[in-house]
Amino acid sequence: MTDKTSSPAPATDFIRNIIREDLASGKHLRIVTRFPPEPNGHLHIGHAKSIQLNFGIANEFDGNCFMRFDDTNPLKEDEEYVEGILQDVHWMGYEWGEYLSYASDYFEELYEFAEELIKKGKAYVESLNAEEIRELRGTLTEPGKNSPFRDRSVEENLKLFREMRAGKFTDGAHVLRAKIDMAAANINLRDPVLYRIRKVPHQRTADQWCIYPLYDFTHGLSDALEGVTHSLCTLEFEDHRPLYDWILAEVSAPCLPRQIEFSRLNLRYTVLSKRRLIQLVEEGHVNGWDDPRMLTLSGIRRRGYPASAVRLFCERIGISKSENNIDMSVLEDCAREELDKIAPRAMAVLRPLKVVITNYPEDKTEEFEPARHPKNPEMGSRKVPFSREIYIDHDDFREDPPPNYFRLAPGKEVRLRFAYVIRCDEVIYDTEGKVNELRCTYDQATRSGAKAEGRKVKGIIHWVSTKHCVPVEVRLYDRLFAKPLPGSDDSEGNFLKDLNLNSVETINSCQVEPGLEEAQPAEVFQFERVGYFCVDSKESRPDTLVFNRTVTLRDTWAKLEQEQTRQS
Ligand code: ATP
Ligand code: MG
């Protein structure tokens, strides 16, 4: 593409401003960020915001961004997710080069840091069980109470911790806790657990370890080991920042990264938490993580969204600390904008209605040669055959047209895109009385491009020649949920009851212009007047292509919602 994606003005937001200051003051010479997913599910559009922020900043400021897997919970994690996540980040257009890492790479260093805390008297082995720990933790309004094991000697703690590592105890027998302050107003500082026993093999370290560090302990120290300068995370970690800073201050960390929080992306009419996405997949409410209705990156990709649309979306929503619920139309508009620039045009009839042009010779075929893209001549042209029998869309004909109906109706004229003006002379019905076929006549003088073309006909409709067209299957998608905030009005947060039960409509008998049988998996077209459609890369069959509707041409949803609010 030449100069169609004009480069945007450099982004400014409070995080980039901090980074500019840190560079200007000489606090940092080189910026290091990281994108740290846990490989316990596939990425969704919310992660795209974090990917674009972390990798984007590294690119803009000539720093680097670690692609780091936060793989500390072997019970929930899987190599399959690692592969998928790498594929998704790559698709977004970002490269990690040599900066691919795993928190599990640091298990030995993390263990050493834990011993360091123990030796300083800043961590102890707790022998209460999870329930008892919870009871002593206190509440938001009441301070917690010290555990009877809090004052174990350094020697005893070291011995027990080493025995924990050596596998002497069963799961849950002991944990390692930081020794901070059971009366702290911030519950995260009430002696948080740092290590637990899990006799579960890890996907990368196999059975090398039977104790695993918890998120808060792992995260900041991994940041420090990688020389991360700015550790960018979502707002729910704001209350964890004092712990993040405490841990880094108490051990001999190689550097002191700064945690900065921003608000996470929420999108209306969908759910974005991995826990909920897993539930949708496992309970079969969708057909896998890459179901085109899912707002996972794999789902969006399969649906036909280009990565550039996702990047444009992230740019548009920006970075701030304010809570947000972005409307799906923002994402859809980005897809329209990007696809309009790159998608070749084609004619497709979703619900075919046969039209016989009675005054057109029976054995004649003409070929029109429209551009593949109206604004990109370099994309060349295509050949569209025309003959006596064509299909038009059922929606483009009305027996009793309303006053300003400019498409086809009995006795009315319409222009066939790239071809001629036709007039509807006769309607043929089937045995049930439904419109089955139209008989029309064409006016040879109205050939597109010819002098007489200037004749005043308001409507233009698309069509395909019955002899030449190619049958395909089309899937029309709607939002996966019927409510803007699924589960929000349910006391138990049950979001499944808000599923839209009609979120996909399959149409088997669509007809597209010839040439499209050559379309490649994932190729996206603009079906003129209908929308953007992408060849499904998974379920297209050798004899029949399946097209996913990526997005309609206009925002029909915004209109519907406006009407609804006006009515109510
Ligand atoms: P989820 O809540 O969907 O399960 P998570 O936060 O547990 O996601 P991680 O794998 O820990 O998922 O996320 C990796 C990074 O992506 C984190 O830095 C996290 O803050 C960020 N992230 C996750 N969801 C969003 C979101 N909706 N908006 C912005 N950033 C997000
Ligand atoms: Mg998480």
Side-chain angles (χ1 to χ4, degrees):
M1 295 285 30
T2 51
D3 196 32
K4 290 292 184 313
T5 38
S6 51
S7 60
T12 51
D13 51 60
F14 77 100
I15 293 179
R16 285 173 169 88
N17 289 342
I18 291 173
I19 289 175
R20 286 192 186 97
E21 280 165 26
D22 288 347
L23 284 170
S25 71
K27 180 176 176 193
H28 298 297
L29 298 175
R30 185 179 171 80
I31 299 303
V32 181
T33 56
R34 84 289 169 265
F35 171 62
E38 183 180 359
N40 62 350
H42 288 284
L43 300 183
H44 52 65
I45 184 83
H47 290 112
K49 178 173 177 176
S50 178
I51 293 170
Q52 175 132 332
L53 179 66
N54 283 293
F55 282 96
I57 283 178
N59 287 351
E60 279 160 57
F61 295 96
D62 204 16
N64 58 274
C65 177
F66 277 86
M67 172 67 237
R68 185 207 304 154
F69 287 96
D70 178 26
D71 56 346
T72 55
N73 186 356
L75 276 180
K76 292 196 174 157
E77 296 160 5
D78 203 311
E79 275 298 303
E80 176 208 316
Y81 295 133
V82 170
E83 300 290 319
I85 289 171
L86 291 177
Q87 200 186 347
D88 288 345
V89 175
H90 191 76
W91 176 73
M92 280 278 297
Y94 294 108
E95 300 291 340
W96 47 87
E98 64 197 278
Y99 302 107
L100 173 63
S101 64
Y102 297 81
S104 56
D105 295 343
Y106 309 130
F107 279 170
E108 191 61 47
E109 284 95 331
L110 294 174
Y111 177 85
E112 295 298 327
F113 285 130
E115 281 211 354
E116 188 182 349
L117 283 181
I118 295 174
K119 287 173 191 159
K120 279 179 77 179
K122 297 285 182 178
Y124 61 98
V125 172
E126 169 67 272
S127 306
L128 296 179
N129 64 32
E131 182 56 32
E132 293 161 332
I133 292 176
R134 207 172 304 126
E135 273 165 26
L136 291 182
R137 196 170 49 197
T139 64
L140 284 175
T141 48
E142 281 168 59
K145 295 196 186 81
N146 287 354
S147 158
F149 299 101
R150 197 173 197 260
D151 292 318
R152 276 177 161 149
S153 69
V154 167
E155 292 67 36
E156 190 184 0
N157 280 321
L158 260 186
K159 175 172 167 284
L160 284 171
F161 190 51
R162 287 174 184 167
E163 287 174 349
M164 280 168 66
R165 175 180 183 168
K168 246 189 119 178
F169 307 113
T170 52
D171 289 15
H174 307 283
V175 292
L176 184 74
R177 295 179 79 172
K179 193 171 183 176
I180 310 180
D181 179 5
M182 286 306 292
N186 182 338
I187 291 189
N188 294 302
L189 294 179
R190 294 185 191 166
D191 292 9
V193 174
L194 306 180
Y195 266 89
R196 65 187 162 196
I197 303 171
R198 277 266 155 99
K199 293 203 165 154
V200 180
H202 184 281
Q203 59 276 14
R204 291 185 62 83
T205 58
D207 51 7
Q208 215 181 319
W209 293 89
C210 62
I211 54 172
Y212 292 99
L214 272 89
Y215 176 85
D216 282 319
F217 186 68
T218 311
H219 199 78
L221 290 172
S222 303
D223 284 345
L225 289 168
E226 291 175 347
V228 167
T229 53
H230 300 82
S231 180
L232 313 175
C233 62
T234 36
L235 275 174
E236 69 272 21
F237 291 105
E238 196 165 25
D239 289 344
H240 296 239
R241 186 170 3 112
L243 176 57
Y244 183 98
D245 292 338
W246 183 91
I247 292 169
L248 290 175
E250 292 295 343
V251 302
S252 44
C255 68
L256 294 179
R258 173 171 174 193
Q259 175 178 309
I260 307 173
E261 308 85 16
F262 62 95
S263 56
R264 62 198 290 126
L265 165 69
N266 297 307
L267 259 190
R268 282 147 52 86
Y269 293 98
T270 192
V271 294
L272 288 185
S273 107
K274 271 189 274 184
R275 192 174 50 77
R276 288 177 162 189
L277 295 176
I278 287 174
Q279 203 178 338
L280 288 174
V281 172
E282 286 184 348
E283 293 178 8
H285 303 290
V286 294
N287 298 316
W289 284 94
D290 62 352
D291 185 304
R293 292 166 295 177
M294 291 273 270
L295 270 293
T296 51
L297 294 183
S298 50
I300 289 175
R301 177 163 68 235
R302 188 168 157 204
R303 173 88 168 247
Y305 275 69
S308 61
V310 178
R311 290 195 300 266
L312 179 63
F313 172 72
C314 293
E315 205 175 279
R316 236 167 234 180
I317 57 173
I319 296 291
S320 77
K321 276 188 180 286
S322 45
E323 287 302 330
N324 57 76
N325 272 304
I326 307 286
D327 203 90
M328 197 77 86
S329 62
V330 179
L331 179 61
E332 289 170 347
D333 276 342
C334 292
R336 289 185 189 102
E337 275 184 53
E338 289 302 304
L339 288 172
D340 179 49
K341 295 183 230 166
I342 55 177
R345 275 37 174 183
M347 291 199 285
V349 173
L350 300 196
R351 295 178 177 83
L353 172 60
K354 190 160 140 188
V355 173
V356 179
I357 302 164
T358 52
N359 62 340
Y360 195 87
E362 240 168 88
D363 47 8
K364 187 174 171 183
T365 297
E366 273 177 90
E367 254 178 3
F368 298 105
E369 203 172 333
R372 279 186 206 285
H373 193 288
K375 284 167 257 168
N376 281 336
E378 70 269 27
M379 284 170 77
S381 60
R382 61 200 214 255
K383 295 214 162 73
V384 181
F386 180 78
S387 65
R388 180 181 154 96
E389 288 189 6
I390 60 171
Y391 291 123
I392 65 167
D393 233 303
H394 247 289
D395 293 348
D396 285 331
F397 173 78
R398 292 273 183 92
E399 270 192 288
D400 294 306
N404 280 324
Y405 190 77
F406 297 122
R407 289 169 276 166
L408 204 54
K412 294 265 162 85
E413 287 194 325
V414 78
R415 170 170 289 283
L416 297 174
R417 181 105 165 108
F418 310 123
Y420 300 100
V421 171
I422 56 169
R423 191 186 60 229
C424 177
D425 305 320
E426 193 186 348
V427 182
I428 314 272
Y429 302 89
D430 65 12
T431 48
E432 288 166 30
K434 287 199 193 122
V435 176
N436 194 36
E437 188 183 310
L438 305 177
R439 299 276 160 89
C440 298
T441 40
Y442 86 116
D443 178 352
Q444 201 170 1
T446 60
R447 195 182 200 275
S448 279
K451 277 221 175 86
E453 197 213 338
R455 166 135 158 224
K456 276 236 182 293
V457 176
K458 276 204 175 150
I460 303 180
I461 63 173
H462 58 276
W463 52 274
V464 292
S465 161
T466 59
K467 246 196 291 189
H468 306 89
C469 59
V470 180
V472 300
E473 181 177 315
V474 159
R475 297 183 186 164
L476 305 178
Y477 298 103
D478 201 341
R479 317 233 148 145
L480 193 49
F481 290 91
K483 296 258 179 74
L485 307 173
S488 63
D489 59 1
D490 184 282
S491 56
E492 266 133 49
N494 175 12
F495 65 105
L496 294 172
K497 69 168 183 35
D498 292 335
L499 273 168
N500 171 8
L501 299 177
N502 300 309
S503 53
V504 55
E505 180 188 356
T506 300
I507 318 180
N508 291 307
S509 51
C510 307
Q511 300 287 349
V512 297
E513 66 175 64
L516 259 65
E517 69 276 13
E518 307 287 337
Q520 296 303 304
E523 211 177 329
V524 187
F525 294 86
Q526 185 195 95
F527 289 169
E528 296 202 42
R529 300 184 57 239
V530 184
Y532 294 96
F533 289 76
C534 163
V535 179
D536 191 81
S537 42
K538 245 181 154 173
E539 288 172 19
S540 288
R541 302 174 291 274
D543 58 334
T544 315
L545 287 179
V546 173
F547 279 91
N548 295 317
R549 182 169 68 195
T550 309
V551 65
T552 54
L553 284 184
R554 272 172 298 273
D555 185 3
T556 45
W557 258 77
K559 253 191 266 160
L560 274 179
E561 283 195 352
Q562 273 168 11
E563 273 165 28
Q564 272 167 11
T565 29
R566 235 179 284 133
Q567 280 162 12
S568 59

